[in-house]
Amino acid sequence: MKKTLPVLMLSLLPGLALAAGEHGGHQGHDMAAMQQDMHGIGRPGSSAEVSRTIEVVMSDDMRFSPAQIEVKAGETVRFFIKNPGKLTHELVIGNLSSLQEHAEMMRQMPDMKHAEPNMISLQPGQKGGLVWQFDQAGTVDFACLIPGHMEAGMKGRVQVM
């Protein structure tokens, strides 16, 4: 019996490690699905490759300004993002279906924090940056996934030419 308990405990460790991993930096939701959907929207860019900076303002009227952006395929841009309002906002780059799916997760877990290269969350009065390379032509979406914000119209598009 003395050997059975340690063996049983060791056999449970992999399951416990997996369960702990599911509750890591995103407080219980799986970012793997969103990362798999990143095909066609680009990838994190290098500051050394930035060709221009685009200023984006996130406002409490639940809008991004500008909400429509044009870039060239292969272009790396720095988004300089400002939150002059009184509410926390975020900008998440993705495709519309993955953004909607992730917004639903955030409704279930409203205190969720992000730390992915395609996302930035800013408190009132904060400024920040995001560098992204748009690697192929098409449409890339962005939205604020804080519960209710995207539904109120806080979303935009990048047209990649």
Side-chain angles (χ1 to χ4, degrees):
M1 185 69 173
K2 287 183 181 179
K3 290 183 181 180
T4 306
L5 187 56
V7 169
L8 178 62
M9 289 175 66
L10 286 174
S11 68
L12 293 175
L13 283 176
L16 292 173
L18 284 174
E22 290 175 4
H23 298 283
H26 294 282
Q27 300 178 357
H29 76 281
D30 180 15
M31 287 301 296
M34 187 167 186
Q35 296 300 324
Q36 288 173 347
D37 285 342
M38 303 267 289
H39 177 73
I41 67 161
R43 62 180 177 84
S46 164
S47 293
E49 297 174 355
V50 170
S51 61
R52 65 182 165 132
T53 297
I54 299 171
E55 183 176 301
V56 178
V57 177
M58 304 186 291
S59 64
D60 289 350
D61 66 353
M62 302 302 152
R63 298 293 182 262
F64 288 102
S65 180
Q68 302 292 321
I69 298 168
E70 289 186 7
V71 300
K72 295 176 185 165
E75 186 175 10
T76 300
V77 297
R78 178 184 320 278
F79 291 103
F80 178 65
I81 305 158
K82 296 181 187 180
N83 179 2
K86 296 181 180 178
L87 301 173
T88 299
H89 295 293
E90 63 183 17
L91 185 146
V92 183
I93 297 171
N95 63 47
L96 189 56
S97 63
S98 66
L99 292 171
Q100 289 170 331
E101 188 176 309
H102 194 87
E104 177 58 36
M105 286 183 209
M106 288 197 59
R107 277 190 287 283
Q108 296 171 13
M109 296 174 269
D111 295 327
M112 183 185 313
K113 303 294 182 225
H114 294 124
E116 303 297 326
N118 65 318
M119 307 174 176
I120 186 168
S121 181
L122 297 175
Q123 297 296 316
Q126 280 189 320
K127 299 173 186 174
L130 186 88
V131 177
W132 198 256
Q133 182 180 44
F134 295 91
D135 54 6
Q136 59 184 305
T139 300
V140 176
D141 299 290
F142 59 93
C144 179
L145 302 184
I146 292 174
H149 291 208
M150 184 167 97
E151 296 79 4
M154 199 164 186
K155 54 190 171 185
R157 286 204 147 144
V158 178
Q159 188 63 47
V160 185
M161 312 301 250

